Amino acid sequence: MHRHGIGAWPAKRRLASPEKTALVHGDQATMTYREFADGTDRVASALRRLGVGRGDSVAYFGENSPDLLQVMFGAARLGAVFVPVNTRLAPAEIDHILADCHARLLIHDPGPAAGFAAAAGVPHLTTGAGTADRPGLARLPGTPGVPAEVGSDDPAAVIYTSGTTGRAKGAVLTHGNLTWVALNCVVDYDVVSTDVALMISPLFHVASLGMGALPVILKGATLVLEKGFEPGRALAQIERHGVTMLSGVPTTYQLMADHPDWATTNLSTLAKLTCGGSAVPTRILRAYEARGLSFSQGYGMTETSPGATSLPPAMTLAKQGSVGLPHFFTEVRVVDADGAPAPPGTVGEIQIAGPNVFAGYLGEAGATAEAFTADGWFRSGDLGYLDADGYLFIAGRLKDMIISGGENVYPAEVELLLGEIDGISGAAVIGVPDERWGEVPWAIVTLRPGADLDTAAVRARLAGKLARYKLPARVVIVDELPRTASGKVRKADLRQHYGDQAR
């Protein structure tokens, strides 16, 4: 039996739903599944003419666009490996990725990426028409070729970790990984062909790609591609296109709820909201519930393609703070320091198994071996616990855990309560050195526009809800928290900055 992995998806969609709208991009431009598949065939042929073949890495640097998706599927048709590059990285970080994946080619939006490619000695090609002297991707000729035969264990993409604790590593995701994460989403989020999904997060991030674009294309639904997130425009696009699906992080949803157009925007088509990154504060839950909207919250990471768990909307309040149950085709367990299953309610390391778990780190045999247990479970490095019903609660990263006077402080627990304080829009709890206690928790917070928060009162508001050793020793108000492209707070940056202040 011939197996063509995810590279066969566009052609299969062309047969099944040729005239269905696949993509909406720009203000009104649309692309049918026939046009999308034809473009993917042309891109695959162009890549082949440029010398790309099985196992070669094709890096992509650019904003959300049909080109990005066609390059991904086109590379997959050849058995090549798609490497999306975070456009927010520094030049040195980009150079590291291009060298680490041995990029055969860099495709990029017009702009400074040509310099990155030249510095790294990588051939490059712009999206769009390009120039007469240097034609871009859109001008390259191509005719459909025979797709490569690939198996489910063959690499389809390399997604680089955010690198918040050191140099970024490339997580190798196979055709099987990407297929199974899409199937998990189809099952657990009930994705149907009539859905319209608004893509406001960058597709170079694994959540947007694996849990946003892929399940939508698998089902033959419609993707509305946005080059970036602006809350007023997002609200307008929901109303304009009858959007049914939206995914984001808590900050995304908060900015939309705080926008002046929130109350007047028609949100009646919205049915499926997914949120990751951290727990949704109660205030935001209530704001969306007032509009008849509920969230599916979840947990995962690059190495799990990325979904591991999902909390059904019906359980949002009953299991508030939980990230839910394992996805349908995924298993999750929590173990103690000896590797034995932790009793319900006991914090331990979260471990994950299933066909969506990655193949390993590119060129990092040692790191790959350390990432898995002897019986094949992925060691997430995250702390959490399962309740008596099997719902997962996150306590924080092993590296983020604060040990104050011999007591463990889990930042996620404190951050959840901080997020419920009126006026606080974002919070990160870190450990800073302390002569007496070793470490003490500090809270770094951002405020909603117009809010006036008495930092001295924050501890009083948390008193009685947390043990005294968990209360922030200091509350610092900042204009903005440093975040990765996926919206996660860069706590390593905060620890370095405020740790130096405390010494």
Side-chain angles (χ1 to χ4, degrees):
M1 175 180 170
H2 295 290
R3 296 173 295 172
H4 302 158
I6 67 169
W9 291 12
K12 291 178 181 293
R13 275 283 136 225
R14 179 171 50 202
L15 287 173
S17 51
E19 304 310 319
K20 177 72 183 298
T21 298
L23 306 176
V24 179
H25 54 103
D27 283 333
Q28 293 295 336
T30 62
M31 180 178 288
T32 66
Y33 273 102
R34 183 195 304 279
E35 293 167 332
F36 178 63
D38 290 348
T40 298
D41 288 347
R42 183 186 56 76
V43 168
S45 178
L47 293 178
R48 185 186 290 111
R49 287 172 178 264
L50 292 169
V52 174
R54 177 185 291 276
D56 288 335
S57 293
V58 178
Y60 190 98
F61 182 99
E63 297 174 322
N64 289 356
S65 70
D67 289 324
L68 185 153
L69 293 169
Q70 288 178 331
V71 169
M72 178 185 71
F73 285 110
R77 279 181 64 85
L78 303 178
V81 182
F82 180 63
V83 185
V85 180
N86 185 335
T87 61
R88 302 169 188 174
L89 295 179
E93 294 172 305
I94 296 170
D95 289 344
H96 162 65
I97 288 173
L98 295 178
D100 189 67
C101 74
H102 303 286
R104 178 69 181 81
L105 178 69
L106 171 66
I107 298 175
H108 60 90
D109 289 348
F116 307 149
V122 177
H124 64 98
L125 177 70
T126 64
T127 57
T131 65
D133 293 336
R134 191 173 181 85
L137 185 65
R139 284 197 195 185
L140 294 183
T143 55
V146 177
E149 295 183 21
V150 299
S152 61
D153 293 334
D154 287 326
V158 174
I159 311 290
Y160 278 79
T161 60
S162 59
T164 56
T165 57
R167 243 183 170 181
K169 298 190 291 291
V172 179
L173 304 183
T174 66
H175 288 263
N177 292 155
L178 295 179
T179 298
W180 284 103
V181 76
L183 288 170
N184 270 339
C185 292
V186 168
V187 172
D188 290 332
Y189 299 139
D190 197 23
V191 182
V192 294
S193 62
T194 53
D195 275 323
V196 178
L198 178 62
M199 193 57 54
I200 54 177
S201 301
L203 286 168
F204 58 68
H205 175 51
V206 68
S208 301
L209 191 65
M211 302 182 72
L214 288 182
V216 169
I217 291 171
L218 179 64
K219 284 297 295 185
T222 299
L223 272 176
V224 180
L225 296 175
E226 287 286 284
K227 291 186 175 182
F229 171 67
E230 193 285 312
R233 179 174 170 83
L235 289 169
Q237 292 291 72
I238 291 170
E239 184 172 298
R240 178 179 299 122
H241 298 293
V243 169
T244 64
M245 295 177 60
L246 181 65
S247 61
V249 296
T251 302
T252 303
Y253 290 111
Q254 178 176 300
L255 290 171
M256 291 174 62
D258 290 341
H259 194 273
D261 294 341
W262 168 257
T264 57
T265 301
N266 182 356
L267 304 178
S268 61
T269 58
L270 269 182
K272 301 160 191 175
L273 302 177
T274 59
C275 185
S278 61
V280 181
T282 302
R283 184 178 69 85
I284 303 303
L285 291 175
R286 297 298 188 193
Y288 279 77
E289 282 190 339
R291 300 295 307 270
L293 302 170
S294 298
F295 290 93
S296 292
Q297 300 180 63
Y299 162 78
M301 59 204 66
T302 302
E303 292 88 344
T304 57
S305 307
T309 69
S310 175
L311 180 68
M315 301 301 291
T316 298
L317 290 177
K319 295 291 184 180
Q320 187 172 356
S322 172
V323 292
L325 299 168
H327 276 298
F328 196 84
F329 297 107
T330 303
E331 296 178 82
V332 172
R333 70 184 184 186
V334 174
V335 301
D336 62 21
D338 296 323
T346 302
V347 172
E349 185 186 32
I350 301 166
Q351 298 182 352
I352 304 157
N356 57 305
V357 175
F358 79 141
Y361 296 110
L362 183 67
E364 298 270 2
T368 298
E370 291 176 5
F372 288 90
T373 64
D375 55 348
W377 288 71
F378 172 63
R379 303 183 66 236
S380 72
D382 286 335
L383 294 168
Y385 64 91
L386 296 170
D387 72 4
D389 299 319
Y391 285 79
L392 180 66
F393 291 76
I394 305 298
R397 292 285 297 171
L398 275 169
K399 293 176 181 151
D400 291 341
M401 186 178 72
I402 302 162
I403 303 177
S404 185
E407 298 284 359
N408 293 344
V409 179
Y410 302 111
E413 179 185 13
V414 186
E415 289 161 357
L416 181 63
L417 292 175
L418 285 167
E420 295 177 356
I421 295 176
D422 189 37
I424 292 181
S425 61
V429 173
I430 59 171
V432 299
D434 183 83
E435 289 186 3
R436 181 177 184 184
W437 303 111
E439 282 185 305
V440 292
W442 282 23
I444 318 301
V445 303
T446 57
L447 302 184
R448 296 175 57 197
D452 182 16
L453 181 69
D454 179 2
T455 59
V458 171
R459 281 173 56 94
R461 297 190 195 187
L462 296 179
K465 298 179 181 178
L466 291 170
R468 288 180 59 83
Y469 65 84
K470 297 180 183 179
L471 296 176
R474 182 175 172 185
V475 178
V476 181
I477 298 174
V478 297
D479 293 332
E480 186 177 14
L481 292 169
R483 295 182 182 273
T484 67
S486 62
K488 294 180 180 178
V489 176
R490 297 178 67 96
K491 289 191 175 179
D493 293 358
L494 294 176
R495 281 194 294 267
Q496 180 176 358
H497 178 74
Y498 292 103
D500 290 343
Q501 286 188 14
R503 288 185 176 92

